[in-house]
Amino acid sequence: DIQMTQSPSTLSASVGDRVTITCRASQTIDSWLAWYQQKPGKAPKLLIYKASTLESGVPSRFSGSGSGTEFTLTISSQQPDDFATYFCQQYKRFPITFGRGTRLEIK
Amino acid sequence: EVQLVESGGGLVQPGGFLRLSCEASGFTFSSYELNWVRQAPGKGLEWLSYISDSGNTVYYADSVEGRFTMSRDNAKNSLYLQMNSLRAEDTAVYYCVRDGTPGTFGMVHFDNWGQGTLVTVSS
């Protein structure tokens, strides 16, 4: 199975901060990576797919980059609505696997 | 608007069984591959199973292989998860999830999620 390692597990940030979350795959997944945002009690929401393609309706302050085994999700200017948990996911092959999540907290 | 609505969750004893359903609307159900993903309380996301648009191909995670059966009824726009031999570690919110692009045989992101249904396995 492909292991997805996310870091950090928790991140404290202030409104307006630039935030970066990293996801590392245990083997190459090319660009077959997605990022999701989840708020408490809600289902995950797709933000980015194919490593860097922004899902329709997602604010442009979100961006993704990387390929192979190293990927990043960046929020250019953290907004109050962005405090949530973020997960990466690989879909290169089955079983589909997720990172353990990064909880973004208010500093 | 795409909608996925799960039902069938509840409290069940260890060793028991439960059948989850997911009713879909707002898209051509028979064209899309689907998945079940679960999330234990306070934990991360775990992919469980995938089914092709026709229902002829199904894949499972090792953790549920042999105990869970995924199926679909395209005439009813419905997805199912039959869960047998339930264990305490199966306690989670179960999500019905759609593949982002039809015809990609599961190698695609998830673009729509249901609201989830809670399954609690406890005596």
Side-chain angles (χ1 to χ4, degrees):
Chain A
D1 298 1
I2 299 175
Q3 308 302 317
M4 304 301 293
T5 303
Q6 251 182 273
S7 61
S9 55
T10 306
L11 182 56
S12 297
S14 300
V15 173
D17 283 354
R18 181 181 180 87
V19 168
T20 299
I21 299 168
T22 297
C23 186
R24 177 180 292 120
S26 60
Q27 57 186 270
T28 181
I29 57 170
D30 305 317
S31 294
W32 304 119
L33 181 111
W35 290 98
Y36 300 86
Q37 176 194 66
Q38 186 179 34
K39 296 182 178 179
K42 300 293 186 182
K45 171 190 171 185
L46 175 68
L47 297 176
I48 286 168
Y49 60 95
K50 211 181 283 186
S52 61
T53 302
L54 198 65
E55 171 71 344
S56 175
V58 174
S60 59
R61 61 181 180 272
F62 290 92
S63 64
S65 64
S67 66
T69 61
E70 298 280 340
F71 302 87
T72 59
L73 171 70
T74 299
I75 308 172
S76 60
S77 178
Q78 180 79 9
Q79 297 302 301
D81 190 50
D82 301 339
F83 291 100
T85 300
Y86 294 83
F87 295 94
C88 62
Q89 173 215 19
Q90 69 80 20
Y91 48 92
K92 167 77 172 177
R93 61 173 54 91
F94 288 107
I96 292 166
T97 47
F98 293 87
R100 300 181 75 168
T102 295
R103 184 181 173 192
L104 194 46
E105 298 180 331
I106 300 173
K107 182 183 279 186
Chain B
E1 178 194 5
V2 172
Q3 284 203 315
L4 299 164
V5 180
E6 301 94 337
S7 61
L11 175 64
V12 60
Q13 291 189 338
F17 62 90
L18 216 53
R19 189 194 197 207
L20 304 184
S21 299
C22 172
E23 187 169 332
S25 61
F27 65 100
T28 304
F29 182 78
S30 59
S31 296
Y32 281 81
E33 293 97 328
L34 297 158
N35 302 264
W36 287 99
V37 174
R38 71 184 178 186
Q39 186 170 34
K43 301 297 184 182
L45 301 166
E46 179 186 16
W47 171 83
L48 298 180
S49 58
Y50 155 93
I51 192 165
S52 63
D53 52 4
S54 66
N56 289 339
T57 299
V58 184
Y59 299 127
Y60 298 97
D62 287 347
S63 59
V64 302
E65 176 92 59
R67 298 189 300 125
F68 289 11
T69 302
M70 185 180 190
S71 62
R72 66 190 294 165
D73 185 337
N74 286 345
K76 295 183 177 179
N77 286 359
S78 292
L79 179 71
Y80 306 102
L81 186 67
Q82 177 68 41
M83 305 187 297
N84 298 331
S85 303
L86 283 162
R87 307 165 179 166
E89 54 265 36
D90 294 319
T91 295
V93 173
Y94 286 70
Y95 294 104
C96 166
V97 187
R98 192 184 81 162
D99 272 5
T101 304
T104 48
F105 308 105
M107 299 295 98
V108 74
H109 56 281
F110 298 156
D111 71 343
N112 281 274
W113 299 61
Q115 86 288 349
T117 186
L118 176 63
V119 172
T120 303
V121 184
S122 175
S123 55

